[in-house]
Amino acid sequence: MKKLFAIALIVCGLLPSCKSAQNAAQVYDKTMDSSQFVNITDVVPDAILEIRYYSTYNFVGARIDGYEEPVALMTREAADSLRAVSDDLKIHGYRLKIYDAYRPQRGVDHFLRWAQDPTDTVTKAYFYPYLTKKQVFDGEYVAEKSGHSRGSTVDLTLVDMKTGKELDMGGTFDWFGPESHPDYGSGNPETLEFVQTDSAFTSLQFYNRMVLRTAMLRHGFKPLDNEWWHFTLKNEPFPDTYFNFPVRVLGK
């Protein structure tokens, strides 16, 4: 039996079809497979996109590696849940505005290179004026691995459909500091209670954050402790895979 098996392997190695199959198995890389992802605007057609990492208006100050087009991608499951969020909020007069969704690992690596260069502080005044880059890393605003690379995380805010303006969330996307925490300003995201303090953060700003948060949680997403704009699908389909294919329109 062993001899027959060895002969079969030798014969297969000589056949072109077998060699092609072997080569295909060797070159397949799951992290480069976008087949289970969709363009968010195909599922949520009225979502507004402002893909910050395709532009230079971000904490790095340059277009991030892997962002080849200003589009937003997610796994099918996450996009379907986001559609439910959108349908829910439209009834109340809001549209979703997306800053980032799927992020390739090469983009995260770009963040890490930035974090390790103490001389590059071009954007400090705009995104992390009170922190050092080490504190940015220690505070987990930047990490070696990101949920975004698993394909079911999204950074977003709300736009008032009547005015066309973003809701006042009391802080901007990618601001590194306590002001970005969902419970900033004596607000309790669990009970939705807010106590006004000497902080300039207002009850309206807290309320606006909770409108977004409540809708996201209601449709299967979970929040992050230090970023009011960041949500991940609870039952994400690829919890252990960090994808690396580029951000560009799928299905071209």
Side-chain angles (χ1 to χ4, degrees), residues 39-50 72 79-99 156-162 164-165:
N39 305 303
I40 288 181
T41 50
D42 287 345
V43 181
V44 190
D46 61 346
I48 301 168
L49 302 185
E50 186 181 325
D80 287 342
S81 293
L82 196 64
R83 172 61 183 267
V85 173
S86 176
D87 291 345
D88 187 343
L89 288 172
K90 276 194 296 185
I91 296 173
H92 302 285
Y94 304 116
R95 291 175 66 184
L96 303 182
K97 184 173 186 176
I98 297 172
Y99 296 120
L156 74 174
T157 191
L158 297 178
V159 170
D160 187 313
M161 293 171 66
K162 289 183 179 179
K165 296 181 179 180

Side-chain angles (χ1 to χ4, degrees), residues 23-134:
N23 291 338
Q26 290 173 355
V27 300
Y28 175 72
D29 181 353
K30 183 178 182 180
T31 69
M32 298 299 289
D33 184 356
S34 63
S35 63
Q36 300 304 307
F37 285 68
V38 295
N39 305 303
I40 288 181
T41 50
D42 287 345
V43 181
V44 190
D46 61 346
I48 301 168
L49 302 185
E50 186 181 325
I51 308 304
R52 292 283 186 87
Y53 300 137
Y54 178 78
S55 73
T56 59
Y57 181 36
N58 58 62
F59 68 89
V60 174
R63 182 181 296 178
I64 303 305
D65 290 354
Y67 285 78
E68 297 184 358
E69 294 182 302
V71 298
L73 313 177
M74 290 188 86
T75 60
R76 298 176 189 275
E77 294 86 345
D80 287 342
S81 293
L82 196 64
R83 172 61 183 267
V85 173
S86 176
D87 291 345
D88 187 343
L89 288 172
K90 276 194 296 185
I91 296 173
H92 302 285
Y94 304 116
R95 291 175 66 184
L96 303 182
K97 184 173 186 176
I98 297 172
Y99 296 120
D100 193 34
Y102 160 68
R103 181 185 307 158
Q105 181 60 44
R106 69 187 79 179
V108 177
D109 294 342
H110 191 165
F111 290 174
L112 294 178
R113 292 195 302 274
W114 169 86
Q116 292 164 2
D117 181 1
T119 66
D120 180 0
T121 57
V122 173
T123 65
K124 182 175 176 62
Y126 303 99
F127 293 100
Y128 58 106
Y130 309 116
L131 301 178
T132 64
K133 284 192 174 182
K134 183 178 185 305

